[in-house]
């Protein structure tokens, strides 16, 4: 990135340099971060993963902020953009421009580790001008990502609340839920370690408490929270409260 036009990846670098910092909650405004922490489940890395992973005693590779201006350093922006745009361990030009939508997937791809490289194919006949979609949840090279990745993780790593279907995974409680429709919730799928096993009292108790916690939250006024952050927080709150209630 610092080499710019002198880099052997200059065309891709030029594209990356158009990407604004602050796309992910980890680099939002202090006010936006505080409100999203209220919405996120306790202990979630949604907001603070850069601090936890890159400013810890073990991994101190990003300087602490010297003031509260909210200015994002070059290193923070690079970490943010790499997480946001990479597939497993690689940044892949062009392919990283394909958007995520679990309900409109129309592509499939080979592994980036195949001898002939990654190939992308249409799943069906595509109309002229039709947008291409993939699923970030179903990353072929990301090991068992699908087992623990859902709607909150998409927000954490990509900066948006995904369209339906939504997935909610609470790993310590062994809970996997998929919600397919935001209108009447006529299809809510429950997954357990043993197929056909209904949720336990402990699991239901956890969900009841989480719904009660969300219902007790007041988002208040937008105040000086940037518009994009405010809109995303509202969508995240509505999705969590409605889906878990369903």
């Amino acid at each position: 990135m610092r080499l710019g036009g002198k880099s052997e990846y200059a065309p891709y670098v030029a594209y990356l340099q158009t990407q604004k910092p602050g796309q992910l909650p980890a680099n939002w405004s202090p006010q936006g971060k505080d409100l999203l922490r209220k919405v996120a489940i306790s202990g979630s890395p949604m907001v603070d993963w850069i601090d936890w992973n890159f400013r810890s005693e073990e991994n101190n590779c990003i300087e602490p902020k010297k003031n509260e201006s909210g200015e994002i350093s070059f290193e923070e922006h690079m970490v943010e953009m790499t997480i946001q745009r990479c597939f497993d361990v690689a940044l892949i030009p062009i392919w990283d421009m394909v958007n995520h939508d679990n309900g409109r997937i129309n592509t499939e791809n080979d592994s980036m580790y195949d001898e002939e490289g990654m190939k992308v194919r249409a799943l069906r006949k595509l109309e002229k001008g039709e947008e291409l979609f993939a699923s970030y949840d179903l990353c072929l090279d990301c090991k068992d990502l699908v087992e623990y990745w859902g709607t909150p993780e998409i927000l954490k790593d990509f900066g948006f609340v995904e369209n339906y279907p939504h997935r909610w995974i609470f790993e310590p409680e062994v809970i996997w839920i998929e919600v397919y429709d935001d209108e009447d919730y006529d299809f809510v799928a429950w997954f357990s370690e043993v197929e056909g096993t209904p949720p336990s009292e402990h699991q239901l108790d956890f969900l009841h408490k989480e719904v009660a916690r969300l219902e007790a939250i007041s988002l208040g006024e937008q105040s000086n929270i940037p518009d994009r952050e405010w809109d995303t927080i509202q969508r995240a709150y509505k999705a969590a409260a409605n889906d878990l209630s369903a």
Side-chain angles (χ1 to χ4, degrees):
M1 289 293 286
R2 283 175 168 147
L3 284 173
K6 295 180 180 179
S7 166
E8 64 178 302
Y9 307 109
Y12 186 50
V13 167
Y15 164 69
L16 293 178
Q17 288 177 336
T18 68
Q19 305 303 298
K20 295 180 180 180
Q23 297 296 307
L24 303 188
N27 279 335
W28 278 5
S29 68
Q31 297 80 10
K33 286 182 176 183
D34 285 343
L35 188 56
L36 187 58
R37 285 191 190 100
K38 289 183 179 180
V39 174
I41 191 169
S42 177
S44 167
M46 178 88 68
V47 173
D48 298 299
W49 61 268
I50 286 183
D51 287 342
W52 294 355
N53 295 323
F54 295 92
R55 290 196 177 101
S56 65
E57 291 183 11
E58 300 82 9
N59 268 336
N60 186 18
C61 53
I62 293 180
E63 289 287 331
K65 288 188 183 297
K66 293 181 172 58
N67 56 59
E68 295 302 318
S69 68
E71 184 178 344
I72 299 169
S73 70
F74 173 81
E75 288 79 11
E76 284 177 298
H77 183 33
M78 291 304 99
V79 168
E80 171 185 46
M81 192 156 54
T82 302
I83 290 292
Q84 186 179 16
R85 310 199 72 82
C86 78
F87 291 80
D88 190 29
V89 296
L91 288 164
I92 306 176
I94 307 301
W95 181 232
D96 72 351
M97 300 175 78
V98 175
N99 283 328
H100 163 86
D101 195 314
N102 283 329
R104 293 191 284 175
I105 302 169
N106 56 15
T107 63
E108 63 179 9
N109 62 276
D110 301 321
S111 169
M112 70 177 77
Y113 301 107
D114 282 4
E115 289 185 7
E116 297 182 5
M118 175 184 281
K119 294 182 179 179
V120 181
R121 295 173 294 277
L123 278 175
R124 55 172 173 76
K125 182 179 178 180
L126 300 174
E127 300 299 326
K128 182 178 178 180
E130 185 176 351
E131 183 172 358
L132 300 180
F133 290 102
S135 172
Y136 300 168
D137 290 330
L138 304 178
C139 170
L140 187 62
D141 294 307
C142 302
K143 298 180 181 179
D144 56 350
L145 190 71
V146 70
E147 297 294 329
Y148 58 90
W149 224 245
T151 300
E153 289 73 28
I154 289 290
L155 174 55
K156 174 178 76 74
D157 281 358
F158 299 102
F160 61 87
V161 178
E162 63 183 344
N163 295 327
Y164 283 87
H166 289 168
R167 181 187 289 122
W168 301 88
I169 300 170
F170 304 100
E171 201 169 5
E173 287 73 28
V174 198
I175 293 174
W176 292 267
I177 301 172
E178 287 189 350
V179 184
Y180 288 82
D181 191 342
D182 62 336
E183 295 297 328
D184 53 16
Y185 301 100
D186 61 349
F187 189 4
V188 179
W190 172 277
F191 300 92
S192 61
E193 289 184 325
V194 180
E195 187 175 353
T197 303
S200 68
E201 289 299 319
H202 168 75
Q203 290 168 322
L204 287 175
D205 183 58
F206 169 83
L207 290 174
H208 282 301
K209 288 179 179 178
E210 182 60 11
V211 169
R213 182 190 72 82
L214 289 165
E215 290 176 345
I217 294 173
S218 172
L219 296 183
E221 300 295 327
Q222 179 176 353
S223 185
N224 53 352
I225 297 175
D227 290 343
R228 181 180 176 278
E229 296 176 15
W230 176 249
D231 178 64
T232 302
I233 292 168
Q234 288 185 309
R235 292 192 65 194
Y237 173 78
K238 180 181 177 181
N242 289 354
D243 290 358
L244 298 186
S245 294

